[in-house]
Structure formats: structure tokens, C-alpha cells
Amino acid sequence: MAASSSLFSSSTHTEMFAPKISKCPKNFLCCHGKISYVKPNYFKAIYGPKSRFLSTNMSSKWKQTGQRDSLHCRVLDGIERAPSFSVGQKFQLDDIIEAQQFDRDILSAIFEVAQDMENIEKGSPGSQLLKGCLMATLFYEPSTRTRLSFESAMRRLGGDVLTTENAREFSSAAKGETLEDTIRTVEGYSDIIVVRHFESGAARRAAATADIPIINAGDGPGQHPTQALLDVYTIEKEIGKIDGIKVGLVGDLANGRTVRSLAYLLAKFKDVKIYFVSPDVVKMKDDIKDYLTSKGVEWEESANLVEVASECDVVYQTRIQKERFGERIDLYEKARGKYIVNQDILKVMPRHAVIMHPLPRLDEITVDVDADPRAAYFRQAKYGLYIRMALLKLLLVGW
Amino acid sequence: MAASSSLFSSSTHTEMFAPKISKCPKNFLCCHGKISYVKPNYFKAIYGPKSRFLSTNMSSKWKQTGQRDSLHCRVLDGIERAPSFSVGQKFQLDDIIEAQQFDRDILSAIFEVAQDMENIEKGSPGSQLLKGCLMATLFYEPSTRTRLSFESAMRRLGGDVLTTENAREFSSAAKGETLEDTIRTVEGYSDIIVVRHFESGAARRAAATADIPIINAGDGPGQHPTQALLDVYTIEKEIGKIDGIKVGLVGDLANGRTVRSLAYLLAKFKDVKIYFVSPDVVKMKDDIKDYLTSKGVEWEESANLVEVASECDVVYQTRIQKERFGERIDLYEKARGKYIVNQDILKVMPRHAVIMHPLPRLDEITVDVDADPRAAYFRQAKYGLYIRMALLKLLLVGW
Amino acid sequence: MAASSSLFSSSTHTEMFAPKISKCPKNFLCCHGKISYVKPNYFKAIYGPKSRFLSTNMSSKWKQTGQRDSLHCRVLDGIERAPSFSVGQKFQLDDIIEAQQFDRDILSAIFEVAQDMENIEKGSPGSQLLKGCLMATLFYEPSTRTRLSFESAMRRLGGDVLTTENAREFSSAAKGETLEDTIRTVEGYSDIIVVRHFESGAARRAAATADIPIINAGDGPGQHPTQALLDVYTIEKEIGKIDGIKVGLVGDLANGRTVRSLAYLLAKFKDVKIYFVSPDVVKMKDDIKDYLTSKGVEWEESANLVEVASECDVVYQTRIQKERFGERIDLYEKARGKYIVNQDILKVMPRHAVIMHPLPRLDEITVDVDADPRAAYFRQAKYGLYIRMALLKLLLVGW
């Protein structure tokens, strides 16, 4: 597909792009231009002010503009030899805020970039793609797993990282600085900001303030769009397609933002069928059910995990979130033990199917399942790395 | 001015310095020599033991020694091509401990380096100036803003960072290690240490112990010299001069070390006039007033912010520090609301004037002021980055 | 010795190894291959599954296999010129878990690599040895000193770091993830994991799970093998030999895992004599005494530090660990004051002898001792850097 940018490892590319380099303006790219207010979001200068979410009809747009192969490249002179690759068209999104930003085309295109990321070899030009770029992880609540994934992604592309897991302390309670003021300061120090916040909508507020790209790494009960993307990417990688698949969402469907976002994204594909399997206290809420219905997505609720597992391509298990039960430990314990993925489930699952889980996992998947090749959850975490590499690449240097 | 070192981006420099490289001893520079006790402060070997604060008459000293253009350069062989630039004379200061270290000449010289820093392009030799250098941020109390600014500065110059925001835990209470012992350990791991401490005088103690450069990033009620430098730099950048300006210091003048240090530095310039505008409970203390008088600096106290704002080139607003009021919330609330920079103030301010603030800001500057071009406080934060880049450069590789 | 790999700074090596490069498979090495599950522990593919602790008879094994000089090297093409050095035979250990893994031969071989590390010059190929490698520091309890030492080691070799000092929060209590699951996730993000844990045996569990190398940076009352190694290295560097030396172990011998591990390692050398000098409440336990006796190591207990110090090559002082005394502050205070290394001790110590201490130090060594050249404890901390550099190098790229 036109959206792909398999720029790496092929020697023909080097030749192909070599002539362009001399024609291109120096320091064109955000991360290799001057350290200034304007450059990190240089696209704005070219494409006008942040035009958010204009993701539709990407491929045709490329045809119209014809810019893809001619416009952008990078010249790095000086001390280190730079990767010789073309940088294509601006990424359609200025920021990553919510799963709804992504339509089917852009998802496919991002997945192709993620696939490129898997193929980057260390020491290759691709591994230096974001050299000189600085990512700030501004975490208002700790989430070591997510933070390490983003930081690994940045470093695997040659970029650098400013870390804070205690961002609360420099903006809130005690001193009372607003998120907006903090963003304005931190954007002076970095080229892209990954925000984790305890309040829904915080990422959107950050994006509205910042001149540099913002990635939402989870904002309270709101969104966690990179998780949603990696989930869909995992399905594509493991099953080979998304159209026509059957997915069982299991566990805490009421509180898990993961399954909610996933349901939302699955609705963009054809002939998907979704099963909801959850204890009564944590059932999927009506808004998602109504949404699926309105989009013509078939769904049903079931209390029989064995039956569902025998039919599905994907069993997506989730942790019952104890913290949501407050004092009602009895309810929690009851809900927690109800649907366990174990050898009995493996027995009925089709050979090509997979088990997914956003992690951390308690005992809702028994440890003896890990050895089965259909246990995809640790691979899923790894796919998250590639998705985040792809997003960082796209936001900072375009297609 | 002679103190400048505009080494970057001009192609003539490359030629100019090229011949020197072959003559220069290999691994001359701290950060590119062996990892050893001695090298990080190689200046000591050349200039004798740390001769602190010998900043006066810098320019003439250069003439006397005649070393500037001949002595230092770097040879980097091996895998990466190194920036080809000359490194000039040793920086006069071994450490950055307090604002009083800086006289007018050295301030100007540092500002020229800071200007060079603003012009460094990513991917250029300048952006790799501190490659191989390791800065430890040893923060005994958290200050994410200051830490990120230093870490960004180090990374923008190609250097690396060791971070700790919980330095208390490995030196104090529980285990009882002295600051001096900690410094002796950490200097074995790094090339320069940025210390933030809760005790006044801690930075000076650290500097007395260390063989590598120490930068004070705030020591309790003591000093925060890099903030003072960036404040003066901001004035020079925004107003174009410091001699002859009128500055209104507003807000918490009793507790703010920022305004105290700024007053101190302003006294080094000619015909400066300072207005103090503050609630009675947090008035500027007599020591600073007496100091200004002794230096012939005109100052006056005023209760009329509108009047002061209409006369000043700089309105330097500060936050009333709630934490200093203890139980007296009533006093705090009263003080806090008294002098607000808002549209009324903007109306009377000259067009060329600017509003500054060390941040974080609460409501002592209303948010609607941000859009006015005279609102300089976020630019001020950014200037801090350049000042810190300049200081890191000067301490680690000289002029 | 055959195990040495003094690859650095000698120009003859470049020539010697140059021809090999073209023959070697690309991306052979973990840190420069693809980012994938398999590569980081590529040795497994070659040598079969992790064969732990097969350290004995290393040299002869090399002769048998004859692989040392022919098998491994690295080819780095692409944007940056890579260090031209051969990478030799796989390191015998997959992980660093406990002091018992090391026999005398492997200790000597590691020390030679550590010596090479001391000689690495910044900007030299050696300083980029681990470029592209990512080390995760997964600390379930904070230990800033140890963490900074590892992170400095990694950066001094050109590698990058993912840091967490709050690993507890993403695996335990609240959410209940097992160490094993955490390891499986983090190994997807990094090439090597340094684990600090509060539970004895945790490092071994991590190593049993991970496909990438694990280094134990202390697991509760268990082991801290890199400390043990650096202690022995310090003795070799400072005294010039280990056979035939006399060592006084002083202070908290019951609780200090450091002195226990050191005793264990010293038993591997010839004609070593060990003195135990400690308050009655924290005497060396019988297991170590029995072990020493079984190995034919001479030892005795003494209550006379002056006498012991006058005979020893090494006085290894340790801190009385207050936290082990619970409520019995009186016992602690009594124990703490009993054996102090001060000027009186210095007076009787031989000129060639040294004082060591694992740090942090309270007042069990008086500050006025620091100036004496025999005070080796800060040098000891620095030797730890080289030992950790050596281990990272060996685990990631082999001999």
C-alpha cells in the first residue's frame, strides 16, 4: 500500500534517495533543526495550524498532492553520518489522544510502519531515525510498564528521553501550577511529550496547549489509545486479518478502558463478532453495546467461557480490578474467580486462535497456559514497543 | 567581544581550526579523556588547584596569557567523526555556587555563549559538544522543572545523564552518609554534578569536596545561581540592554531567593532603578536594600503596581509562597490577592516592556495575559535552557 | 592469559581483526542485531540452552573448541563507523547471580577485562562498545549508589538505560504481578536487566525466566555478587596479589552480605589468612567459618583491632547496620563504637596495606583517615565501575 514506508535495510533505497539529499533544505526536520519553539512542529509551518484528525482518505490525498516522494528529506552533515532515507508526507495526526482518531486506512498504514520497526536492525540507519530528538515522559501517575515501553521505543530509534514519574509534584497541590503551564515549560525542553494523567481529558488539554506533539499514555478513566492500537496490531499479526474475526472479551468489561477502546476499534472492520463474557458486576456498559449495534457489529453476551473460547479467534482476558470494588472484597473475590483461562479453555480453543491480555495478569490466566503457543500476551507487550516506535517516528518525522 | 566563542555553524571555523587538531595532545579534554579521577577536572592539572572565583578582568587576562587561540583543542579518533572545533581558554569558574561569582564581564561572556547555544542546530557538531560526558543530577529535594532543564541542556549538547531525585535516601537519615562521602562516590561515576539540596551552603561543601565541577541547582534558602543568570539573560534578550533599565520586583520579596539574587546581579549594571512592590508581610529585607544603596543603585518601595508598571521595562512578578505562612492562611490569602498582573497592568505597560516570572505561576498573573507578546515568562524558561547549556559547556570544555 | 581481551587502544588489534570482519555474519551480536526475542541471548542459539555456571576449566575449553579467535565478530554498517574489534568467545556465564559462580580463573579473566575498561578512552572505539544496547535497571528497592554505578558503566560503554527505582509498584501488592511476568515484559524492552530485589533468590528466579542476561544487584539478605567481585578486584589492584594476603574483616560480620561473599571468594586463593574482628552481637556465623576450614583457609577471631591491623594487608571495615537491631538501640550503640578505624590504626598499619569499606560509611572510619593514601574506599567504589563495565561487556558481547 502507498502508505507504507519500508525505508529500511533495502540497499536500493539508498540509491533511490541519494540524489534527493543534495536538493533538500538543511535541518528540515523537527528533531534536527534548531532548538526553537517553532521547529518541533515544523509541519505546522508547512501545512498550516494543527488540523486535527483529518485522517480520512489518506491514500487519495497523497495522490492529489503528489508530495510523497519529492518533498521531504533530511540532510545531516557534520560529525556523524546520517541515515540516508527520505522522509515522506506529514503524519495526519498532530497528537495521539484517543482511539477514535484512527480509521481503518490509517490503522493499516501505521501497522505497516510498525512492521518496518520490527525489522530495524541495531546499528542500521533506521536505529538512528530519531537521533537528536528528545521525548519527555510526563507521568502524573506512575505506570512503569507504559513508561518503559515508550522510553525503549524512543531509544531503539536513537532518541533521548527526559523522565519524570512524579509530575504531580511540580504542578499540583502544593504549588498549584496548571497542566497547561507545565506543558508550556516542558515543551521548551523536548520535541514530544508523552503524558499520563489521572484526569480524563488531560491529554486533550495538553495537546491544545502544546506546539509539539502530545501522546496520551492514559488519562484516568479516559483513553489509552496506544494500548488500543497495539491490541489491534497484535490481532493482525497473530491472526493475519481483522475482518471476519470473532473476539471474546472476558473479565472486567465495565472498568477496563482497554476492552472498551478495543470494541470501538473493532467496529471499524467488517463482519467482526464480539462476545462479552463477564461477571454480572462488571458487565460491558450500554454505550458500547449501542455503539456496536449502530455500526452493525454483531455482539452477544455469554456466561459460558468454554463455549465462547471454542468459537473465537481471540480470547481477550482482562484483570478484575480490585481497586474498583472498594470495601466489597466479597464481590471482588467472587467476580475474580469466575472466568479463568486455563488448560480447559486451551483444549477447546481452535489451533489458530490466541489468548491476549493487557497485563499485568493475576490468576485469571493460569501460569501453565504460558507455554502454549497460543498464549500471545507477552508477544502483545512486545508489539506495543513497535507500535510506539511507529507513532514516535510518524509524529516526529512523518511517513 | 573577546570572550565570545561563536564556534558553530560558520564554515570558516572548520578551516581555521583544522590545522590545530594534529598538534594537540589526544584526549586532552575532560570528557573525552580516560575515565579517571584526574581528567574530569583537567584544568586543575594545567592551572593548579581550583582557584575559585577569580573572575575579574577576564578579558585582560586572556591578553596576558595569550592562550586562547592556541592551547586547547580536541582530537577524537575512532569510530565517530568528532566536531572540529577549538576549545578555548579554561572557564574562570570551577563551580557554579552563587550569583556573586559573576561580574559584569563574565555575565556578558556567558550570555554570548548562551546565544551560541540558541543557534546550535541538531545534527551539527555543536550538538555533540559534550558527547561522552556524563552529568549526575543529585537532587536531595525534588525539583522536576529544574532537573528537566539541566537534563535537556546536557542532552542537547550530546551528553548523557545519571538521574536521582531521591538523593536523600542514599546519604542521610537511615544510613547517615555525609554529603561529602556521597559526592566522592558520585564523582567517580560522572564528569559534572548538579546538586539540589535542602540546606544552605550544601553546594559549597560539595564543591569543596569534588574534583569535578559542581553546579548549585538551589540549596535551601541559599542560592539558585542559574536562575539568577537566566533572569538577567532574559532581560538582555528581551529588552536589549541592562544598563539604564527600570525593574519592578513584585510579590514575595522576603522569601523569594530569585528576586534577591536578581537584585544582587542588577547592581552590577549602570543606572538601574528598582521598584519593590509587595504586601507588607513579605517586603524586601534590609540587607538587599542596604546593598543596593551601597552600590549606588536607586530603589524605592511602592504600593501602586499600576504606576510602577507604567514606568518599568521589566515587571518581575513572583508567587506568594504559601508554605512560608504556616498556619496563617488568612495572611497568605490577603497577600496573595494584592498585586495581580492582569489586563489593567498590560494597558499601562510600555510596548517594549516585558513581564517575567520564575514559575510556577498561580493566579498572580492572569491567564489572559499569556497571549500578550510582552508575557515573557515561558520564553524565560526557555532561556534557562540556553544558560544551562552554556554553563555545562564552559565548565566541561572551557570557552 | 588466554582469557584476556585487551582489544582496546592497541593499533595492532585493528589490523589483526580487520580481515575477520568481512567474513562474519551481519548483526551477529545481541545488541546490534534485530530487536527480537531471540537475539539478545544469541549465545543460546549457538551453545544450546543456558548452561549455567559451567565456569570450570575455561582455558582448556577454549583450546578444545578452538573457537576463540575465529568465531565471533561484529559487523556494523550504516550510518556510524563502528569500533573495529573482534568479539571473542561467549562469556561462560549467562547471568550474574551469586559469588559462587566465579572460580579463580574466571575472576582473573574478568579482572583483565576490568583493567581494559579502566583504559578505555572516551571517544575511542571501546567507549562505543555497547552502543545500541539497552540495560533496564529494575530495582524493587531503591539503592541509588548501586544503580548509578551500573548506569554509569553502561553509559561509559555507549549503551543506553531504562531506569526504574520503583519496580515494586508495577508488579506487587496493589496489582499482584509476579516477578516472572514483569521480567517477561521488561526483557521485551531491553537487552540486559539489572535486578535489585528485597527477596533472597529473586535474581535466580528472574534468570530462570529471562532469555536475556540478568545481573543480581542485591537480592535481600542473599547475594550481591558484583560487590564481591569489586572487593577482590580492589585487593588485586591495591596490593598486587591475593595469594598469601592477610585480611581483617571488621564490624558487622553477622549481617553484612559483603564480608560473607568476600570470605567465600578469598577461599579460592592460596595461603590467605582471615581475621574476624567484631562486637559479640554481630560475629561471623559458623557456616562461613566451617566453609573456610573445609577449604583449608586459616582464620581466627580477635578482639584486638590494633594488633590485627598491624599484621594485615587489608583492613575491611563495615558499618554496623542499625536496622538489624530493631528496638535494641543500646546494643547498637555499644557495638557501633567498639572498633573504629582512626589515626591509631593507621599508625600500626604497614605502609603497603589498605583500608576498604563497602560504603556508606558512618563514623566507623574517622574522616581524618580519608587523606591517608591507604584509605582505599573511594577508589574501591570506582573499581566497582570498571567491574560492572566488564560484566556488561562480557554478558552482552562476550570476551
Side-chain angles (χ1 to χ4, degrees):
Chain A
M1 176 196 176
S4 116
S5 68
S6 39
L7 312 164
F8 313 107
S9 44
S10 159
S11 63
T12 60
H13 278 101
T14 312
E15 295 156 34
M16 189 176 136
F17 295 133
K20 281 189 215 139
I21 289 175
S22 56
K23 302 181 205 150
C24 290
K26 196 166 134 182
N27 300 306
F28 185 72
L29 289 182
C30 69
C31 283
H32 291 266
K34 285 189 189 181
I35 305 166
S36 77
Y37 285 117
V38 182
K39 291 288 164 45
N41 205 19
Y42 73 99
F43 293 128
K44 278 179 69 176
I46 304 169
Y47 294 89
K50 282 193 185 187
S51 43
R52 281 171 206 281
F53 313 163
L54 70 165
S55 62
T56 41
N57 212 359
M58 186 176 64
S59 317
S60 65
K61 218 173 114 209
W62 282 351
K63 277 182 214 120
Q64 288 159 26
T65 61
Q67 292 177 323
R68 175 150 207 282
D69 288 319
S70 60
L71 236 197
H72 311 314
C73 76
R74 151 194 335 217
V75 175
L76 269 184
D77 50 5
I79 48 163
E80 297 185 4
R81 292 211 240 135
S84 309
F85 55 86
S86 156
V87 177
Q89 178 145 334
K90 178 193 181 314
F91 186 42
Q92 289 82 340
L93 309 177
D94 290 312
D95 309 284
I96 306 297
I97 304 302
E98 56 183 16
Q100 291 88 316
Q101 288 176 268
F102 303 98
D103 64 16
R104 201 188 153 123
D105 280 345
I106 204 171
L107 279 178
S108 299
I110 291 170
F111 292 170
E112 290 194 43
V113 178
Q115 182 60 56
D116 288 339
M117 296 297 128
E118 294 195 36
N119 294 330
I120 286 181
E121 298 178 351
K122 286 181 212 170
S124 74
S127 74
Q128 297 296 306
L129 205 41
L130 300 185
K131 185 167 174 71
C133 292
L134 208 36
M135 175 185 86
T137 50
L138 193 59
F139 274 44
Y140 285 78
E141 60 176 18
S143 173
T144 311
R145 180 187 308 277
T146 301
R147 180 174 64 78
L148 291 186
S149 178
F150 272 108
E151 294 186 3
S152 180
M154 191 66 183
R155 295 208 185 278
R156 290 300 192 194
L157 292 172
D160 260 322
V161 173
L162 299 176
T163 295
T164 177
E165 268 202 316
N166 296 305
R168 265 191 200 223
E169 94 211 352
F170 86 100
S171 90
S172 75
K175 294 191 176 173
E177 185 175 67
T178 63
L179 173 65
E180 283 79 1
D181 276 17
T182 304
I183 291 289
R184 279 198 189 94
T185 302
V186 175
E187 76 173 330
Y189 303 153
S190 57
D191 300 306
I192 188 166
I193 302 176
V194 178
V195 182
R196 172 94 167 198
H197 205 277
F198 48 90
E199 278 178 15
S200 187
R204 187 179 294 278
R205 284 166 53 208
T209 301
D211 282 328
I212 63 172
I214 300 291
I215 299 180
N216 182 2
D219 53 350
Q223 290 264 347
H224 192 359
T226 60
Q227 177 71 44
L229 256 64
L230 78 89
D231 286 342
V232 180
Y233 183 58
T234 301
I235 295 173
E236 182 165 295
K237 291 283 292 187
E238 296 281 332
I239 306 298
K241 60 167 188 172
I242 303 168
D243 289 329
I245 61 164
K246 294 178 182 172
V247 178
L249 302 179
V250 188
D252 187 343
L253 306 183
N255 302 305
R257 61 186 168 196
T258 305
V259 285
R260 293 172 51 86
S261 298
L262 180 55
Y264 193 96
L265 282 185
L266 288 175
K268 297 180 186 297
F269 293 84
K270 286 180 204 155
D271 301 325
V272 170
K273 174 154 188 191
I274 301 181
Y275 298 86
F276 300 122
V277 184
S278 66
D280 284 348
V281 286
V282 286
K283 281 191 145 176
M284 179 57 83
K285 289 179 179 163
D286 285 340
D287 61 339
I288 295 288
K289 292 180 193 167
D290 293 346
Y291 179 82
L292 292 175
T293 302
S294 78
K295 294 286 176 185
V297 178
E298 207 184 332
W299 60 267
E300 70 177 73
E301 296 189 311
S302 167
N304 190 334
L305 179 56
V306 172
E307 205 174 271
V308 166
S310 69
E311 301 228 347
C312 279
D313 304 282
V314 175
V315 173
Y316 194 106
Q317 175 66 294
T318 60
R319 181 173 64 93
I320 306 290
Q321 297 181 40
K322 190 178 183 181
E323 53 273 32
R324 309 283 182 167
F325 285 80
E327 308 264 299
R328 300 303 311 269
I329 299 297
D330 54 330
L331 283 182
Y332 164 69
E333 289 298 343
K334 197 177 148 201
R336 177 186 176 185
K338 188 141 190 194
Y339 297 110
I340 304 289
V341 173
N342 54 22
Q343 292 295 333
D344 295 338
I345 301 298
L346 279 179
K347 264 177 225 149
V348 302
M349 278 178 66
R351 282 189 60 181
H352 77 278
V354 293
I355 301 160
M356 293 173 60
H357 192 298
L359 303 178
R361 159 264 305 259
L362 299 195
D363 47 15
E364 63 274 6
I365 301 177
T366 57
V367 174
D368 58 0
V369 170
D370 296 3
D372 193 284
R374 291 168 292 180
Y377 27 95
F378 294 117
R379 294 196 294 275
Q380 184 183 354
K382 184 83 179 210
Y383 292 133
L385 179 66
Y386 303 127
I387 284 292
R388 284 163 184 140
M389 288 169 77
L391 293 174
L392 290 170
K393 189 264 188 193
L394 289 169
L395 289 168
L396 286 166
V397 298
W399 290 103
Chain B
M1 177 190 176
S4 116
S5 68
S6 39
L7 312 163
F8 313 106
S9 45
S10 158
S11 64
T12 60
H13 279 101
T14 311
E15 296 157 33
M16 189 176 136
F17 295 132
K20 279 185 216 146
I21 290 175
S22 57
K23 302 180 206 154
C24 290
K26 197 166 134 182
N27 301 305
F28 184 73
L29 289 182
C30 67
C31 281
H32 291 266
K34 286 190 191 180
I35 305 165
S36 77
Y37 285 119
V38 182
K39 291 286 164 46
N41 206 20
Y42 74 99
F43 292 130
K44 275 179 70 178
I46 304 169
Y47 294 90
K50 282 193 186 187
S51 44
R52 284 171 204 281
F53 313 163
L54 71 166
S55 62
T56 42
N57 212 359
M58 187 177 63
S59 317
S60 65
K61 218 173 114 209
W62 282 349
K63 276 183 214 122
Q64 288 160 24
T65 62
Q67 292 176 320
R68 176 150 205 282
D69 288 319
S70 59
L71 236 195
H72 311 312
C73 75
R74 145 188 349 209
V75 174
L76 268 185
D77 51 4
I79 48 163
E80 296 185 6
R81 293 210 240 136
S84 310
F85 56 86
S86 157
V87 177
Q89 178 145 333
K90 177 191 181 317
F91 187 43
Q92 290 82 342
L93 309 177
D94 290 310
D95 309 284
I96 307 297
I97 304 302
E98 57 183 16
Q100 291 88 317
Q101 288 175 269
F102 303 98
D103 64 17
R104 198 186 158 128
D105 280 345
I106 203 171
L107 279 178
S108 299
I110 291 169
F111 292 170
E112 290 193 43
V113 177
Q115 181 61 57
D116 288 339
M117 297 296 129
E118 294 195 36
N119 294 331
I120 286 181
E121 298 178 352
K122 286 180 212 171
S124 72
S127 74
Q128 296 296 304
L129 204 43
L130 300 185
K131 185 167 174 70
C133 292
L134 207 36
M135 175 185 87
T137 50
L138 193 60
F139 274 44
Y140 284 77
E141 60 174 19
S143 173
T144 310
R145 180 188 307 277
T146 302
R147 181 174 65 79
L148 291 186
S149 177
F150 272 108
E151 294 186 4
S152 180
M154 191 65 183
R155 295 210 185 277
R156 291 300 192 195
L157 292 172
D160 260 323
V161 173
L162 299 175
T163 295
T164 177
E165 268 202 317
N166 296 305
R168 266 190 199 223
E169 95 209 352
F170 87 99
S171 93
S172 75
K175 295 191 176 173
E177 184 175 68
T178 63
L179 173 65
E180 282 80 0
D181 276 18
T182 303
I183 290 289
R184 278 198 190 95
T185 302
V186 175
E187 75 173 329
Y189 303 153
S190 58
D191 300 307
I192 188 167
I193 301 175
V194 178
V195 182
R196 173 94 166 199
H197 205 279
F198 47 91
E199 279 177 14
S200 187
R204 187 179 294 280
R205 283 167 53 209
T209 301
D211 282 327
I212 63 172
I214 299 290
I215 299 180
N216 182 3
D219 53 350
Q223 290 265 346
H224 191 0
T226 60
Q227 177 71 44
L229 255 65
L230 79 87
D231 286 342
V232 180
Y233 184 59
T234 301
I235 295 173
E236 183 165 293
K237 291 284 292 187
E238 296 281 332
I239 306 297
K241 60 168 187 172
I242 302 168
D243 289 329
I245 61 164
K246 293 178 182 173
V247 178
L249 301 180
V250 188
D252 187 342
L253 306 184
N255 302 305
R257 60 186 169 194
T258 306
V259 285
R260 292 172 53 85
S261 297
L262 180 56
Y264 193 96
L265 282 185
L266 288 174
K268 297 181 186 297
F269 293 83
K270 285 181 204 153
D271 303 323
V272 170
K273 174 156 187 188
I274 301 180
Y275 298 85
F276 300 123
V277 184
S278 66
D280 284 348
V281 286
V282 286
K283 280 191 144 175
M284 179 57 83
K285 289 176 180 166
D286 285 342
D287 61 337
I288 294 288
K289 292 179 191 167
D290 293 347
Y291 179 83
L292 291 175
T293 302
S294 78
K295 295 286 176 183
V297 177
E298 208 183 333
W299 60 267
E300 69 178 72
E301 295 189 311
S302 167
N304 190 333
L305 178 56
V306 172
E307 202 173 276
V308 166
S310 69
E311 300 228 347
C312 279
D313 303 282
V314 176
V315 172
Y316 194 105
Q317 175 65 295
T318 60
R319 180 174 63 93
I320 306 289
Q321 297 182 40
K322 190 179 183 181
E323 55 272 33
R324 309 283 183 167
F325 284 80
E327 309 265 298
R328 300 304 309 270
I329 298 297
D330 54 328
L331 283 181
Y332 164 70
E333 289 299 342
K334 196 177 148 202
R336 177 187 177 185
K338 187 140 191 196
Y339 298 110
I340 304 289
V341 173
N342 53 22
Q343 292 294 334
D344 295 339
I345 302 298
L346 279 179
K347 262 178 224 148
V348 302
M349 280 179 64
R351 283 189 59 181
H352 78 278
V354 293
I355 301 160
M356 293 173 60
H357 191 297
L359 303 178
R361 158 267 302 261
L362 298 195
D363 47 14
E364 64 272 6
I365 301 177
T366 57
V367 173
D368 59 359
V369 169
D370 296 4
D372 193 285
R374 291 167 293 180
Y377 26 96
F378 294 117
R379 295 195 295 275
Q380 184 183 354
K382 184 84 180 207
Y383 292 134
L385 179 66
Y386 303 126
I387 284 291
R388 285 165 184 138
M389 289 170 77
L391 293 174
L392 290 170
K393 190 264 186 191
L394 290 168
L395 289 167
L396 286 166
V397 298
W399 291 103
Chain C
M1 172 189 180
S4 115
S5 69
S6 38
L7 312 164
F8 313 107
S9 43
S10 158
S11 63
T12 61
H13 278 101
T14 311
E15 296 158 33
M16 190 175 135
F17 295 132
K20 280 187 218 144
I21 289 175
S22 56
K23 301 180 209 155
C24 290
K26 196 166 134 184
N27 300 305
F28 184 74
L29 289 182
C30 69
C31 282
H32 290 267
K34 286 189 190 181
I35 305 166
S36 78
Y37 285 118
V38 183
K39 291 290 164 42
N41 206 20
Y42 75 99
F43 293 129
K44 274 182 71 178
I46 304 170
Y47 294 90
K50 282 192 185 188
S51 43
R52 282 171 205 282
F53 312 162
L54 71 166
S55 61
T56 41
N57 212 1
M58 184 176 63
S59 315
S60 65
K61 217 172 112 209
W62 282 350
K63 277 183 214 121
Q64 288 159 27
T65 62
Q67 292 178 321
R68 173 148 211 283
D69 288 319
S70 59
L71 237 196
H72 312 313
C73 74
R74 146 185 353 209
V75 175
L76 268 185
D77 50 4
I79 48 161
E80 296 186 5
R81 294 214 237 132
S84 309
F85 56 85
S86 157
V87 177
Q89 178 145 337
K90 177 192 181 315
F91 186 43
Q92 289 83 342
L93 309 177
D94 289 312
D95 309 284
I96 307 296
I97 304 302
E98 57 183 16
Q100 290 88 316
Q101 288 175 266
F102 303 97
D103 64 16
R104 199 188 156 125
D105 279 345
I106 204 172
L107 279 178
S108 298
I110 291 170
F111 292 171
E112 290 193 44
V113 178
Q115 181 61 55
D116 286 339
M117 296 297 129
E118 295 195 37
N119 294 331
I120 286 181
E121 297 178 353
K122 286 181 213 169
S124 74
S127 74
Q128 296 296 305
L129 204 43
L130 300 185
K131 184 166 176 73
C133 292
L134 207 38
M135 175 185 87
T137 51
L138 193 59
F139 274 44
Y140 285 79
E141 61 175 18
S143 174
T144 311
R145 181 187 308 277
T146 301
R147 181 174 64 81
L148 291 186
S149 177
F150 271 107
E151 294 186 3
S152 181
M154 192 66 183
R155 296 208 184 280
R156 291 301 194 192
L157 292 171
D160 259 323
V161 174
L162 299 175
T163 295
T164 177
E165 267 203 315
N166 295 305
R168 265 191 199 224
E169 93 209 354
F170 88 98
S171 92
S172 75
K175 295 192 175 171
E177 184 175 69
T178 62
L179 173 65
E180 282 79 0
D181 276 16
T182 303
I183 290 289
R184 278 197 191 97
T185 301
V186 176
E187 74 173 329
Y189 303 154
S190 58
D191 300 306
I192 189 167
I193 302 176
V194 178
V195 182
R196 172 95 167 198
H197 205 279
F198 47 91
E199 278 178 15
S200 187
R204 187 179 295 278
R205 284 167 53 209
T209 301
D211 282 327
I212 63 173
I214 300 291
I215 299 180
N216 182 2
D219 52 350
Q223 289 265 348
H224 192 358
T226 60
Q227 178 72 43
L229 256 65
L230 79 87
D231 285 344
V232 180
Y233 184 58
T234 301
I235 296 173
E236 182 166 293
K237 291 284 291 187
E238 296 281 332
I239 306 296
K241 59 166 188 174
I242 303 168
D243 289 330
I245 61 163
K246 293 179 182 171
V247 178
L249 301 180
V250 188
D252 187 343
L253 305 184
N255 302 306
R257 61 185 168 196
T258 305
V259 284
R260 292 173 52 85
S261 299
L262 180 56
Y264 193 95
L265 283 185
L266 288 174
K268 298 181 186 296
F269 293 83
K270 287 181 202 153
D271 302 324
V272 169
K273 175 155 187 189
I274 301 181
Y275 297 86
F276 299 122
V277 184
S278 66
D280 284 348
V281 285
V282 287
K283 280 190 145 176
M284 180 57 83
K285 289 178 180 165
D286 284 342
D287 62 337
I288 295 288
K289 291 180 193 167
D290 293 346
Y291 179 83
L292 292 175
T293 301
S294 78
K295 295 287 175 183
V297 178
E298 207 182 333
W299 61 267
E300 70 177 74
E301 295 188 311
S302 166
N304 190 334
L305 178 56
V306 171
E307 205 173 273
V308 166
S310 70
E311 300 229 348
C312 280
D313 303 283
V314 175
V315 173
Y316 194 106
Q317 175 68 293
T318 61
R319 180 175 64 93
I320 306 290
Q321 296 181 43
K322 190 179 182 180
E323 55 272 33
R324 309 284 183 165
F325 285 80
E327 308 265 297
R328 301 302 311 271
I329 299 296
D330 55 328
L331 284 182
Y332 164 69
E333 289 298 342
K334 197 177 147 201
R336 176 186 178 186
K338 188 141 189 195
Y339 298 109
I340 303 289
V341 173
N342 54 22
Q343 293 294 333
D344 295 338
I345 302 297
L346 279 179
K347 263 178 222 147
V348 302
M349 279 179 66
R351 281 189 60 182
H352 77 278
V354 292
I355 301 160
M356 292 172 61
H357 191 296
L359 302 178
R361 162 263 306 259
L362 299 194
D363 48 14
E364 62 273 5
I365 302 177
T366 57
V367 173
D368 58 0
V369 169
D370 296 2
D372 193 286
R374 291 168 293 181
Y377 27 95
F378 294 117
R379 294 195 295 276
Q380 183 182 354
K382 184 85 181 207
Y383 292 133
L385 179 67
Y386 302 126
I387 284 291
R388 285 164 185 139
M389 289 169 77
L391 294 174
L392 290 170
K393 189 263 185 193
L394 289 168
L395 289 167
L396 286 166
V397 298
W399 290 103

